[in-house]
Amino acid sequence: EPEVTQTPSHQVTQMGQEVILRCVPISNHLYFYWYRQILGQKVEFLVSFYNNEISEKSEIFDDQFSVERPDGSNFTLKIRSTKLEDSAMYFCASTIGGISSYNEQFFGPGTRLTVL
Amino acid sequence: AQKITQTQPGMFVQEKEAVTLDCTYDTSDPSYGLFWYKQPSSGEMIFLIYQGSYDQQNATEGRYSLNFQKARKSANLVISASQLGDSAMYFCAMREDSGNTPLVFGKGTRLSVIA
């Protein structure tokens, strides 16, 4: 069964460093998403991406964040200068797209980012 | 704006018993979808069940069923015959309109199944 993959599973970085979180969505999916979950809290939407551009972003997704689809398979989230409050689990998700409200978003296993 | 409310931060249930996890939502959009996800301690998000706003019948998937009461804007998850492996966080989520908009999640309910 096709699945969304994410690397690394866990990343530790120093405050102020840049990190790139990587995702490989399901191959025939067209819409890609990043969510984050601070420990013990709910899952929050960051950004969605379609047709090589951002389609929607939340207030959390400020100038220190960027997303890219550098090739036909990877979808990356870059945090330019990490802060302590960026420590969270980051989930990538993808969906095939369509007009129905049902289009299951397939979630990756997550990358746990720890900023020291 | 969309909003999902899960009022039970934690629930306990005896193994083999049924349990209901509450979820209420708020939206002005007539077309929306409701989802439940399970998050075990390992952290991954596992899709459980979906209910569309226009669906006439309550959704069921194996031991999971969704008690959808549209007028009350509630979408409670019912787990029948609880198993120890059901112990996890459970999140209710909603998406308005098209299938491409992002999900909005509730704060979750931690379910503990007791032997």
Side-chain angles (χ1 to χ4, degrees), chain A:
Chain A
E1 186 174 325
E3 59 182 16
V4 177
T5 59
Q6 290 185 243
T7 54
S9 56
H10 191 187
Q11 173 128 18
V12 182
T13 189
Q14 294 290 325
M15 191 169 56
Q17 294 297 304
E18 174 183 285
V19 295
I20 297 176
L21 310 183
R22 290 182 168 80
C23 168
V24 179
I26 294 172
S27 61
N28 63 337
H29 284 188
L30 301 177
Y31 289 81
F32 316 119
Y33 308 82
W34 283 102
Y35 294 85
R36 81 170 185 193
Q37 184 183 30
I38 295 171
L39 186 64
Q41 299 188 21
K42 66 178 179 180
V43 178
E44 300 173 291
F45 166 70
L46 291 177
V47 65
S48 58
F49 194 84
Y50 169 72
N51 199 26
N52 285 318
E53 60 183 28
I54 291 173
S55 52
E56 191 171 344
K57 60 182 181 179
S58 72
E59 293 176 351
I60 303 168
F61 193 87
D62 61 22
D63 291 343
Q64 70 161 344
F65 291 95
S66 62
V67 289
E68 195 178 31
R69 189 156 162 84
D71 52 43
S73 58
N74 288 285
F75 178 51
T76 62
L77 174 69
K78 182 193 290 186
I79 309 175
R80 254 179 281 282
S81 177
T82 50
K83 298 179 279 197
L84 294 176
E85 54 264 39
D86 294 327
S87 295
M89 179 78 97
Y90 288 81
F91 290 103
C92 174
S94 70
T95 183
I96 196 164
I99 60 172
S100 167
S101 67
Y102 176 71
N103 268 309
E104 181 187 341
Q105 285 190 11
F106 291 80
F107 280 78
T111 292
R112 183 167 297 285
L113 176 64
T114 302
V115 182
L116 302 176

Side-chain angles (χ1 to χ4, degrees), chain B residues 5-104:
Chain B
T5 303
Q6 294 180 254
T7 57
Q8 307 152 313
M11 290 280 286
F12 289 89
V13 65
Q14 203 76 34
E15 196 178 7
K16 300 179 185 177
E17 298 292 311
V19 63
T20 298
L21 307 183
D22 295 342
C23 173
T24 58
Y25 60 91
D26 185 25
T27 179
S28 56
D29 198 307
S31 176
Y32 52 89
L34 296 154
F35 300 76
W36 277 92
Y37 285 84
K38 173 183 178 181
Q39 186 178 42
S41 57
S42 51
E44 71 267 32
M45 297 292 286
I46 302 169
F47 166 74
L48 295 178
I49 197 167
Y50 162 84
Q51 180 84 43
S53 59
Y54 293 117
D55 293 343
Q56 295 296 314
Q57 294 191 332
N58 288 342
T60 60
E61 287 286 347
R63 293 186 299 110
Y64 304 107
S65 61
L66 203 151
N67 183 2
F68 181 46
Q69 297 188 45
K70 194 170 181 177
R72 297 179 61 186
K73 293 189 174 179
S74 74
N76 299 338
L77 177 70
V78 180
I79 306 174
S80 63
S82 297
Q83 302 171 355
L84 295 178
D86 294 334
S87 294
M89 281 292 288
Y90 288 81
F91 291 97
C92 180
M94 180 172 67
R95 178 166 60 214
E96 287 179 339
D97 197 24
S98 81
N100 311 316
T101 53
L103 293 168
V104 175

